[in-house]
Amino acid sequence: MRPSGRKLDQMRDVSVEVGFTKHAEGSALIKMGDTHVLCTATIEPRVPSFIKGSGLGWVTAEYGMLPRATNTRMRREAASGKQGGRTVEIQRLIGRALRAGVDRVALGERQITIDCDVLQADGGTRCASITGGWIALRLAVNKLMKAGDVISDPMLDPVAAVSCGIYAGQPLLDLDYPEDSEAGVDGNFIMTESGQMIETQMSAEGSTYSRAQMNELLDLAEKGIAELTAVQRAACA
Amino acid sequence: MRPSGRKLDQMRDVSVEVGFTKHAEGSALIKMGDTHVLCTATIEPRVPSFIKGSGLGWVTAEYGMLPRATNTRMRREAASGKQGGRTVEIQRLIGRALRAGVDRVALGERQITIDCDVLQADGGTRCASITGGWIALRLAVNKLMKAGDVISDPMLDPVAAVSCGIYAGQPLLDLDYPEDSEAGVDGNFIMTESGQMIETQMSAEGSTYSRAQMNELLDLAEKGIAELTAVQRAACA
Amino acid sequence: MRPSGRKLDQMRDVSVEVGFTKHAEGSALIKMGDTHVLCTATIEPRVPSFIKGSGLGWVTAEYGMLPRATNTRMRREAASGKQGGRTVEIQRLIGRALRAGVDRVALGERQITIDCDVLQADGGTRCASITGGWIALRLAVNKLMKAGDVISDPMLDPVAAVSCGIYAGQPLLDLDYPEDSEAGVDGNFIMTESGQMIETQMSAEGSTYSRAQMNELLDLAEKGIAELTAVQRAACA
Amino acid sequence: MRPSGRKLDQMRDVSVEVGFTKHAEGSALIKMGDTHVLCTATIEPRVPSFIKGSGLGWVTAEYGMLPRATNTRMRREAASGKQGGRTVEIQRLIGRALRAGVDRVALGERQITIDCDVLQADGGTRCASITGGWIALRLAVNKLMKAGDVISDPMLDPVAAVSCGIYAGQPLLDLDYPEDSEAGVDGNFIMTESGQMIETQMSAEGSTYSRAQMNELLDLAEKGIAELTAVQRAACA
Amino acid sequence: MRPSGRKLDQMRDVSVEVGFTKHAEGSALIKMGDTHVLCTATIEPRVPSFIKGSGLGWVTAEYGMLPRATNTRMRREAASGKQGGRTVEIQRLIGRALRAGVDRVALGERQITIDCDVLQADGGTRCASITGGWIALRLAVNKLMKAGDVISDPMLDPVAAVSCGIYAGQPLLDLDYPEDSEAGVDGNFIMTESGQMIETQMSAEGSTYSRAQMNELLDLAEKGIAELTAVQRAACA
Amino acid sequence: MRPSGRKLDQMRDVSVEVGFTKHAEGSALIKMGDTHVLCTATIEPRVPSFIKGSGLGWVTAEYGMLPRATNTRMRREAASGKQGGRTVEIQRLIGRALRAGVDRVALGERQITIDCDVLQADGGTRCASITGGWIALRLAVNKLMKAGDVISDPMLDPVAAVSCGIYAGQPLLDLDYPEDSEAGVDGNFIMTESGQMIETQMSAEGSTYSRAQMNELLDLAEKGIAELTAVQRAACA
């Protein structure tokens, strides 16, 4: 049924290569099928001015796509002089999601920046960024703990994200680009390992949806998140 | 319980003044309590290049806040040289929501731009913008139909939006600013008059949420949307 | 004779609604005919760096137009990434004019920013901004004096502004947009209640003018300023 | 009395070197005392879109200052990423002034751009730009007429500009920088050779002014303009 | 002697992975030691306006660094709103170098854009970009020839680049970052397989250099280029 | 043979007018034939943050062209909102070159900014900027030494720059614009009076070059540099 030949509730193959780059405090190349995102974590001893002196830490994210990560070349954002609306929306989402998975008191007054750069895109780049970004964050925090800079582990439950959508009337898990571009309803679900929700975003794209349909997608998402958090645990072990 | 003294499922007073400005093809000043948004609709005989020649119409939106709409003055975005991430996120949301309520074939190859400018802010400005923006859009389409430029009504069911959140452990309908800034979970729900969903956005702000809590907020949202679409019908009558 | 049907020396109806928005230290919606400008005053405890430590206060202004304040929609300046030349020129004029009406020693080392946002335009928006901006400024200073933060009243004589022009060979007071766009000579006159001048700007638009014509316009302007300062006094009473 | 030692109604020495650069259709280096401005005229066979097809010509101007034209180095506008408010205000003024001295029907559908670049500044740069810019414009039009591209001379009366101000209670003609920075009232007067007025700008800087004072400055300005238009005639002879 | 332990004339290990990303018409990940650059080639059927209609093709390049490619995180250029001077300089160099290796008549009126994105940096990123960029270009042209869109091979001799420098008084081949940051003279040499020169850039960094020293570096460069063009040939075979 | 009628190894006439503007600590108008560049030096008591507290001085440069310095008018960079790639490349080169001619310890912790503004262009503007910029720098340092602010002369050997190229197969010294635009190989050579090299840049423009050809151009450059440093000595005497 699916263009990809996958079953309705079947994820793409997921793989993670930790330590893909050597300079960052944490780094991971996550591949969800043909979507490949390089995630790095940078620790800095300063926080944004609005929490200076509060004792709280901060986690933020930036997102980018290489110009030819996609099927036709996109203009380089550095050349066009600003980040587009889609980029801004996505990086704010990644930052919020990862921040929700951290005890900011335990982290202490330092900032961790997660850079998510899409080397190749085939749908679901924001979800891959969150899932891979959590791994880079975990690795960087491990380094802080090993060095004794942080005593109590600030990382709460693993946080992962997956997209679901309604395609040709059917609920699908983990849409790739051909599926995503034809889906009538499109959702991104960010959850913890234990199934608690952090962010839910569902959009009608050409048709509305009912609460029953929303629940079907949530069921799929829970299945996907369980598989992704297992991958996260394995990659950081 | 609520800082506002309202009941958990009680909306703020809503009022609409149509025709607030005279040049626009449709205009409405919507007041949801102390949140006041001026919405105008502009019809133009051109569409974005990616749908040129398709016969389809387009609806888009722009959002802004006057510098002193808020308690402390914010820097004017025109002076700082770009629209901030929050602005971009909101105006993309308004555009998607209103587009979902229009039959773009019936609209024909023309663009309607909804400008939503917040004159005074007290929480829920994006929801007020969508609810008021729909009214401006409806009025502009009425003008097109009266002039015979559009024959079959392109407006589908009324579209409205409301925020709900979990505050001190309680689900609340229609958060004002003091409630919103303390809420642990915050959601924006965009629905049609008949209760079909167009966009759902829920975010944990400091605590995660369960599916049971999500359902409580959806119940509240359905109640709020019913009241708002009644106001919309009355304003356009 | 006039497109508006007014007499040569007749102003448009002027009305002022003080306290139009609740957050600002002073606010007024001024209507000069169909030109409607929302003026707000913001007090901040800092001054620009070039007068830091001087003991002097500062008054500055920013000006904006909502995109559909005019007959055809203008591009939003925040979206185009900069304030246009006309905007910059106008807000510098408003700032200079209002600064000239203040004893900066008595004000003390604080800044008051006047935001003038045009909700609907029909000619004379810069003059309405100055006249309405003075009211917002007066109200904000009243608040400072009531709180005992300022002892001696820093507000000098009321400052108002009016446009005059030569239209079809006739000198006219207070041009609306149809008159302004056809005028051969166009002037903006900023004066105090007692008739002292603060700024004079006259431009030939297609024809030059003599000193005799300039004097005719100055006579009209004095009449208009007297009416406007009376409105200002009444609004602040 | 004057810091410069000049009499109240005495201009600085004025000199003009035409043809200072070789590529432009017209060029002049004008020196008003220590204020040196290089003015060039560029003819292009296109007009702004808002008059395309009207048969009318257009004259516009751009203004700049070399970073070290002034006593302390100013940041280069190209490096800071935008033209400041003062620059925008001045170049719009120069454009309006020179446009008023041209019969745009006779000029025909072409644009002449006057670039005024201040090599050294000592007060009065906008007036020097207008006076020198007129010369560059005249020379460029001469070239068009010689080539037979324009038949009837589109240049009306010569247009020049001079500043006057009230310094230590005294009306002064042609202020240099030390005088300008201390003047309580400051005016720029743009007139034709025959004494007709094109633009009048007077500003109170710390004190207001009366109509009597305004008239004293106008008398001085008429004297200065007569001297400047004589220099213009001589330079273009 | 060298921090890296290499011999004076010893290159770092070079490896190339062609087809690293799937969408581009040509792609290669080149690794020169710890410097890793992803190069992609994009073919488009349009050329810059200044050669439109000439029948000539165009090759251009863009360069970027991921924020954490380096030891400390650099600000993302898309976020800071412009490409820095170093970026602009480098991408112009890459474009010129690759253009010099192409017969633009044989290429025909189409543009090939080479994107060089540094995933990890350890000195010599511009040289790696040119060497790897040539491979991506070669692969894209192969595709054009296979499709019959280009008949006669437009690729001239292979083009590669290598850096040399004087470190502690010794001439070194292929500097890594620790060597580069301490070198007194630094050069980049772009040559063809046959040893003809395309671009030579040598800079004194703290000490000047003689023609004799320049010749020593040129000798080293010729050795390095021979090795690199062999790698290029092998990668494209 | 040369379009200019000069001999292959003949420089254009060079002249220098020191003190061309009065405010700068050093200024010179250098004319290399029809290329005229105004160079000014500004001394400031601060250094860039990356060397603060090091005791070292800094020399930097900015470069600009007046819009009509060239045969057709170029867009003003201040108006287009950024410095183009060519401008950035050139001003970085000028800064590096002049910095190499200064003992930064002897200069002490202060910055000298060299502004090079092209009033008229006919090829070789970057070389003229370096040669003239050195003169402005020398004059500014003289002022520091006279005032006793600097004791030991920080100026090393004079630094000058000249372009050479291969035109119609012949090596030429000091290319003017018509020669430069047709040259197949183009080089800029920055050297000290004693013939030591500071920067070498050679580019193939349509044909490659051999080491033998490179040496011919270096021979020409040495001749030109000797003539230019003699002019520099004379101008500063």
Side-chain angles (χ1 to χ4, degrees):
Chain A
M1 293 302 94
R2 300 178 70 161
S4 60
R6 284 185 276 146
K7 279 178 281 179
L8 298 185
D9 66 349
Q10 188 184 348
M11 301 278 290
R12 293 178 281 187
D13 289 339
V14 185
S15 71
V16 175
E17 181 179 348
V18 300
F20 186 77
T21 63
K22 71 169 190 177
H23 296 302
E25 279 74 44
S27 81
L29 177 66
I30 186 167
K31 299 187 179 178
M32 296 191 66
D34 279 338
T35 289
H36 302 176
V37 184
L38 173 53
C39 306
T40 61
T42 298
I43 304 170
E44 287 163 308
R46 51 175 188 75
V47 289
S49 55
F50 62 90
I51 52 166
K52 210 167 271 179
S54 68
L56 297 172
W58 191 247
V59 175
T60 187
E62 288 191 8
Y63 171 93
M65 261 202 186
L66 296 194
R68 196 56 198 283
T70 45
N71 197 42
T72 55
R73 187 177 185 273
M74 296 175 310
R75 194 163 176 215
R76 191 177 285 267
E77 288 188 324
S80 64
K82 65 170 187 168
Q83 297 180 302
R86 182 185 166 277
T87 294
V88 168
E89 220 175 272
I90 291 176
Q91 68 191 10
R92 284 164 58 93
L93 174 68
I94 302 169
R96 277 199 310 273
L98 295 179
R99 214 151 44 231
V102 170
D103 175 345
R104 291 165 54 206
V105 174
L107 179 57
E109 206 160 321
R110 53 177 56 84
Q111 172 168 290
I112 303 184
T113 301
I114 307 298
D115 283 290
C116 300
D117 285 276
V118 180
L119 305 187
Q120 187 177 282
D122 186 38
T125 63
R126 79 189 68 191
C127 290
S129 296
I130 290 166
T131 305
W134 187 88
I135 295 169
L137 176 60
R138 171 76 270 179
L139 296 172
V141 168
N142 286 352
K143 200 165 274 187
L144 283 172
M145 295 185 70
K146 207 172 215 168
D149 294 331
V150 162
I151 304 305
S152 159
D153 189 0
M155 298 297 286
L156 309 174
D157 259 11
V159 173
V162 74
S163 76
C164 303
I166 299 177
Y167 173 90
Q170 296 277 24
L172 299 191
L173 177 61
D174 187 28
L175 286 70
D176 57 28
Y177 181 75
E179 294 164 349
D180 184 54
S181 57
E182 297 294 325
V185 175
D186 189 14
N188 294 292
F189 301 90
I190 309 174
M191 300 187 192
T192 66
E193 191 179 37
S194 60
Q196 281 292 101
M197 287 188 270
I198 285 177
E199 185 133 351
T200 309
Q201 292 192 336
M202 288 189 62
S203 288
E205 312 258 357
S207 63
T208 56
Y209 55 97
S210 64
R211 281 180 71 167
Q213 287 175 307
M214 187 173 183
N215 278 312
E216 287 180 325
L217 296 194
L218 281 163
D219 292 341
L220 285 176
E222 286 179 355
K223 175 175 185 295
I225 294 292
E227 297 181 25
L228 289 169
T229 50
V231 170
Q232 290 176 316
R233 289 262 179 214
C236 299
Chain B
M1 292 302 94
R2 301 177 70 162
S4 60
R6 283 186 276 146
K7 279 180 278 179
L8 298 184
D9 66 349
Q10 187 184 346
M11 301 276 292
R12 291 178 283 186
D13 289 339
V14 184
S15 71
V16 175
E17 181 178 349
V18 301
F20 187 77
T21 64
K22 71 169 188 175
H23 295 302
E25 280 74 45
S27 82
L29 177 67
I30 186 167
K31 298 187 179 177
M32 298 191 63
D34 279 337
T35 289
H36 302 176
V37 184
L38 174 53
C39 306
T40 62
T42 297
I43 304 170
E44 287 164 307
R46 51 175 190 75
V47 289
S49 55
F50 62 89
I51 53 167
K52 211 168 269 179
S54 67
L56 296 172
W58 191 247
V59 176
T60 188
E62 287 190 8
Y63 170 93
M65 262 202 187
L66 297 195
R68 196 55 200 282
T70 44
N71 197 42
T72 54
R73 187 177 185 271
M74 295 176 311
R75 195 165 175 212
R76 190 177 286 267
E77 287 187 324
S80 64
K82 65 170 188 170
Q83 296 180 302
R86 182 184 166 277
T87 294
V88 168
E89 222 177 88
I90 291 177
Q91 68 191 9
R92 285 163 58 91
L93 174 67
I94 302 170
R96 279 199 308 272
L98 295 179
R99 214 150 47 232
V102 169
D103 175 345
R104 290 166 53 205
V105 174
L107 179 57
E109 206 160 322
R110 54 177 57 84
Q111 172 169 291
I112 304 184
T113 302
I114 306 299
D115 284 291
C116 301
D117 285 276
V118 180
L119 305 187
Q120 186 176 284
D122 187 37
T125 64
R126 79 189 69 190
C127 291
S129 296
I130 290 166
T131 305
W134 187 88
I135 295 169
L137 177 60
R138 171 76 269 181
L139 296 172
V141 169
N142 286 352
K143 200 166 274 188
L144 283 171
M145 295 185 70
K146 207 171 214 166
D149 294 331
V150 163
I151 305 305
S152 158
D153 188 359
M155 298 295 286
L156 309 175
D157 258 12
V159 173
V162 74
S163 76
C164 303
I166 300 177
Y167 173 91
Q170 298 275 23
L172 299 191
L173 177 61
D174 186 28
L175 286 70
D176 57 28
Y177 181 75
E179 294 164 349
D180 184 54
S181 57
E182 297 294 324
V185 175
D186 187 15
N188 294 292
F189 302 89
I190 309 175
M191 301 187 192
T192 66
E193 190 179 36
S194 60
Q196 281 292 101
M197 288 187 270
I198 284 177
E199 184 132 352
T200 309
Q201 292 192 336
M202 287 189 64
S203 289
E205 313 258 356
S207 63
T208 56
Y209 56 96
S210 64
R211 283 181 71 168
Q213 289 175 307
M214 188 175 182
N215 278 312
E216 286 181 324
L217 296 194
L218 280 163
D219 291 340
L220 285 176
E222 287 179 355
K223 174 175 184 297
I225 295 292
E227 298 181 23
L228 289 169
T229 51
V231 170
Q232 289 175 317
R233 290 261 180 217
C236 299
Chain C
M1 292 303 92
R2 300 177 71 161
S4 60
R6 284 185 277 146
K7 280 179 279 180
L8 298 184
D9 67 348
Q10 187 184 348
M11 301 278 289
R12 292 177 281 187
D13 288 339
V14 185
S15 71
V16 175
E17 180 178 348
V18 300
F20 187 77
T21 64
K22 71 168 190 175
H23 296 301
E25 280 74 46
S27 82
L29 177 67
I30 186 167
K31 299 187 178 177
M32 297 191 65
D34 279 336
T35 290
H36 302 176
V37 184
L38 173 54
C39 306
T40 60
T42 297
I43 304 171
E44 287 163 308
R46 50 176 190 75
V47 290
S49 55
F50 62 90
I51 53 166
K52 211 167 270 179
S54 68
L56 296 173
W58 191 248
V59 176
T60 187
E62 288 191 7
Y63 171 93
M65 262 202 186
L66 296 195
R68 196 57 200 281
T70 44
N71 197 41
T72 55
R73 187 176 184 274
M74 297 175 309
R75 195 166 174 213
R76 190 178 286 267
E77 288 187 323
S80 64
K82 65 170 187 168
Q83 296 180 304
R86 182 185 166 277
T87 294
V88 168
E89 220 176 272
I90 291 177
Q91 68 191 11
R92 285 163 58 91
L93 175 67
I94 302 169
R96 279 199 309 274
L98 295 180
R99 216 151 43 232
V102 169
D103 175 344
R104 289 165 55 205
V105 174
L107 179 57
E109 206 160 320
R110 52 177 57 83
Q111 172 169 291
I112 303 184
T113 301
I114 306 299
D115 284 289
C116 300
D117 285 276
V118 180
L119 305 188
Q120 187 176 282
D122 186 38
T125 64
R126 79 189 70 191
C127 291
S129 296
I130 291 166
T131 304
W134 187 87
I135 295 169
L137 177 59
R138 171 75 270 180
L139 296 172
V141 169
N142 286 353
K143 200 166 274 190
L144 283 172
M145 295 184 70
K146 206 173 215 167
D149 294 331
V150 162
I151 304 305
S152 158
D153 189 359
M155 298 296 286
L156 309 174
D157 259 11
V159 173
V162 75
S163 77
C164 303
I166 300 177
Y167 173 90
Q170 298 275 25
L172 299 191
L173 177 61
D174 186 28
L175 286 71
D176 57 29
Y177 181 74
E179 294 164 350
D180 184 54
S181 57
E182 297 293 325
V185 175
D186 188 14
N188 294 291
F189 302 90
I190 308 174
M191 299 186 192
T192 66
E193 189 179 38
S194 60
Q196 282 291 102
M197 287 187 271
I198 284 177
E199 185 131 351
T200 309
Q201 292 192 337
M202 287 189 63
S203 288
E205 313 259 356
S207 63
T208 56
Y209 57 95
S210 64
R211 280 180 71 166
Q213 289 176 305
M214 188 174 183
N215 278 312
E216 286 181 325
L217 296 194
L218 280 163
D219 291 341
L220 284 176
E222 287 179 354
K223 175 177 183 295
I225 294 292
E227 298 181 23
L228 289 169
T229 51
V231 170
Q232 289 174 317
R233 289 263 180 215
C236 298
Chain D
M1 292 302 94
R2 299 178 70 161
S4 60
R6 285 186 274 145
K7 280 180 279 179
L8 298 185
D9 66 350
Q10 187 184 346
M11 299 278 290
R12 291 177 284 186
D13 289 340
V14 184
S15 72
V16 174
E17 181 178 348
V18 301
F20 186 78
T21 64
K22 72 167 189 176
H23 296 300
E25 279 75 45
S27 82
L29 177 66
I30 186 167
K31 298 186 179 178
M32 298 192 64
D34 278 338
T35 289
H36 302 175
V37 185
L38 173 53
C39 306
T40 61
T42 297
I43 303 171
E44 288 164 307
R46 52 176 187 76
V47 289
S49 54
F50 62 89
I51 53 167
K52 210 167 271 179
S54 68
L56 296 172
W58 190 248
V59 176
T60 187
E62 287 190 7
Y63 170 92
M65 261 202 186
L66 297 194
R68 197 56 200 282
T70 44
N71 197 42
T72 54
R73 186 176 186 272
M74 296 175 311
R75 194 163 176 212
R76 190 177 286 268
E77 288 187 323
S80 64
K82 64 171 189 169
Q83 297 180 303
R86 182 184 166 277
T87 294
V88 168
E89 220 176 273
I90 291 176
Q91 69 191 9
R92 284 163 59 91
L93 175 68
I94 301 170
R96 280 199 308 274
L98 295 179
R99 214 150 47 231
V102 169
D103 175 345
R104 290 165 53 204
V105 174
L107 178 58
E109 205 161 321
R110 53 177 57 84
Q111 172 169 291
I112 304 184
T113 301
I114 306 298
D115 283 291
C116 300
D117 284 276
V118 180
L119 305 187
Q120 187 176 282
D122 187 38
T125 64
R126 80 190 69 190
C127 291
S129 295
I130 290 166
T131 306
W134 187 88
I135 296 169
L137 177 60
R138 170 76 271 180
L139 296 172
V141 169
N142 286 352
K143 200 165 275 188
L144 283 172
M145 295 184 70
K146 207 172 214 167
D149 294 331
V150 163
I151 305 306
S152 158
D153 188 1
M155 298 296 287
L156 308 175
D157 257 13
V159 173
V162 75
S163 76
C164 303
I166 300 177
Y167 173 91
Q170 297 275 23
L172 298 191
L173 177 61
D174 187 27
L175 286 71
D176 56 29
Y177 181 74
E179 293 164 350
D180 184 54
S181 56
E182 298 293 324
V185 175
D186 188 15
N188 293 293
F189 302 89
I190 309 175
M191 301 187 191
T192 66
E193 190 179 36
S194 61
Q196 281 291 102
M197 288 188 269
I198 285 178
E199 184 132 352
T200 309
Q201 291 193 336
M202 287 189 63
S203 288
E205 314 258 356
S207 63
T208 57
Y209 55 97
S210 64
R211 283 180 70 168
Q213 288 175 309
M214 188 173 182
N215 278 312
E216 286 181 327
L217 296 194
L218 280 162
D219 291 340
L220 284 176
E222 286 178 355
K223 175 174 184 297
I225 294 291
E227 298 181 26
L228 289 169
T229 50
V231 170
Q232 289 175 318
R233 289 261 180 218
C236 299
Chain E
M1 293 303 93
R2 299 177 71 160
S4 61
R6 285 185 275 147
K7 279 180 278 178
L8 298 184
D9 66 350
Q10 187 184 347
M11 300 278 290
R12 291 177 283 186
D13 289 339
V14 185
S15 71
V16 175
E17 181 179 348
V18 300
F20 187 77
T21 63
K22 71 168 190 177
H23 296 300
E25 280 74 45
S27 82
L29 177 67
I30 185 167
K31 298 186 179 179
M32 298 192 63
D34 279 337
T35 289
H36 302 175
V37 184
L38 173 54
C39 306
T40 61
T42 298
I43 304 171
E44 287 163 308
R46 53 177 187 75
V47 289
S49 54
F50 62 88
I51 53 168
K52 211 167 272 181
S54 68
L56 296 172
W58 191 248
V59 175
T60 187
E62 287 191 7
Y63 171 92
M65 262 203 187
L66 297 195
R68 196 56 199 281
T70 44
N71 198 42
T72 55
R73 187 177 184 271
M74 297 176 309
R75 195 165 175 212
R76 190 177 286 267
E77 288 187 325
S80 64
K82 65 172 189 168
Q83 296 181 303
R86 182 184 166 276
T87 293
V88 168
E89 222 176 270
I90 291 176
Q91 69 190 10
R92 285 163 59 91
L93 174 68
I94 301 169
R96 280 198 309 273
L98 295 179
R99 214 149 47 230
V102 169
D103 175 344
R104 289 166 53 205
V105 174
L107 178 57
E109 206 160 321
R110 54 177 56 85
Q111 172 169 290
I112 304 184
T113 301
I114 307 299
D115 284 291
C116 300
D117 284 276
V118 180
L119 305 187
Q120 186 175 283
D122 187 38
T125 63
R126 79 189 70 190
C127 291
S129 296
I130 290 166
T131 305
W134 186 89
I135 295 169
L137 176 61
R138 172 74 271 181
L139 296 172
V141 169
N142 286 353
K143 201 165 275 187
L144 283 172
M145 295 185 69
K146 205 171 218 167
D149 294 331
V150 163
I151 305 306
S152 159
D153 188 0
M155 297 297 286
L156 308 174
D157 259 11
V159 173
V162 74
S163 76
C164 302
I166 301 177
Y167 173 90
Q170 297 276 23
L172 299 191
L173 177 61
D174 187 28
L175 287 70
D176 57 28
Y177 181 74
E179 294 165 350
D180 184 54
S181 57
E182 297 293 324
V185 176
D186 187 16
N188 294 292
F189 302 90
I190 309 175
M191 300 187 190
T192 66
E193 189 179 37
S194 60
Q196 282 291 101
M197 286 187 272
I198 285 177
E199 184 131 353
T200 309
Q201 292 192 337
M202 287 188 64
S203 288
E205 313 258 356
S207 63
T208 57
Y209 55 96
S210 65
R211 283 182 69 167
Q213 289 176 306
M214 188 174 182
N215 278 312
E216 287 181 325
L217 296 194
L218 280 162
D219 292 340
L220 284 176
E222 287 180 353
K223 174 174 184 296
I225 295 292
E227 298 182 24
L228 289 169
T229 51
V231 171
Q232 289 175 318
R233 289 262 180 217
C236 298
Chain F
M1 292 302 94
R2 298 178 70 162
S4 60
R6 284 184 277 145
K7 279 180 280 181
L8 299 185
D9 68 349
Q10 187 185 347
M11 300 278 291
R12 291 176 283 185
D13 288 340
V14 184
S15 72
V16 175
E17 180 180 348
V18 300
F20 186 78
T21 63
K22 71 169 189 174
H23 296 301
E25 280 74 45
S27 81
L29 177 66
I30 186 167
K31 299 186 178 178
M32 297 191 64
D34 279 336
T35 289
H36 301 175
V37 184
L38 173 53
C39 306
T40 62
T42 297
I43 303 170
E44 287 162 308
R46 50 175 190 75
V47 290
S49 54
F50 62 90
I51 53 166
K52 209 166 274 179
S54 67
L56 297 172
W58 192 247
V59 176
T60 187
E62 288 191 6
Y63 170 93
M65 262 202 185
L66 297 195
R68 197 56 199 281
T70 45
N71 197 41
T72 54
R73 186 175 186 273
M74 296 175 310
R75 191 160 180 219
R76 190 178 286 267
E77 288 187 324
S80 64
K82 64 171 189 169
Q83 296 180 303
R86 182 185 167 278
T87 294
V88 168
E89 220 175 272
I90 292 176
Q91 68 191 12
R92 284 163 59 92
L93 175 67
I94 301 169
R96 277 198 309 272
L98 296 179
R99 214 149 46 230
V102 168
D103 176 344
R104 290 165 55 205
V105 174
L107 178 56
E109 207 160 320
R110 53 177 56 85
Q111 173 169 289
I112 304 183
T113 301
I114 307 298
D115 284 289
C116 301
D117 285 276
V118 180
L119 305 187
Q120 187 176 281
D122 187 38
T125 63
R126 79 190 70 191
C127 291
S129 296
I130 291 166
T131 306
W134 187 88
I135 296 169
L137 177 60
R138 170 77 270 179
L139 296 172
V141 169
N142 286 353
K143 200 165 276 188
L144 283 172
M145 295 184 70
K146 207 173 215 166
D149 294 331
V150 162
I151 305 305
S152 159
D153 188 359
M155 298 295 287
L156 308 174
D157 259 12
V159 173
V162 74
S163 76
C164 302
I166 301 176
Y167 174 90
Q170 297 276 24
L172 298 191
L173 177 60
D174 187 27
L175 286 70
D176 57 27
Y177 181 75
E179 294 164 350
D180 183 55
S181 57
E182 298 294 325
V185 175
D186 188 14
N188 293 293
F189 302 90
I190 309 174
M191 299 186 192
T192 67
E193 190 179 37
S194 60
Q196 282 291 102
M197 288 188 269
I198 285 177
E199 185 132 351
T200 309
Q201 292 192 334
M202 288 190 62
S203 288
E205 314 256 357
S207 63
T208 56
Y209 55 97
S210 65
R211 282 181 70 166
Q213 287 175 307
M214 188 174 183
N215 278 313
E216 287 182 325
L217 296 194
L218 280 163
D219 291 340
L220 284 176
E222 287 180 354
K223 174 175 185 297
I225 294 292
E227 297 182 25
L228 289 169
T229 51
V231 170
Q232 289 176 316
R233 289 262 181 215
C236 299

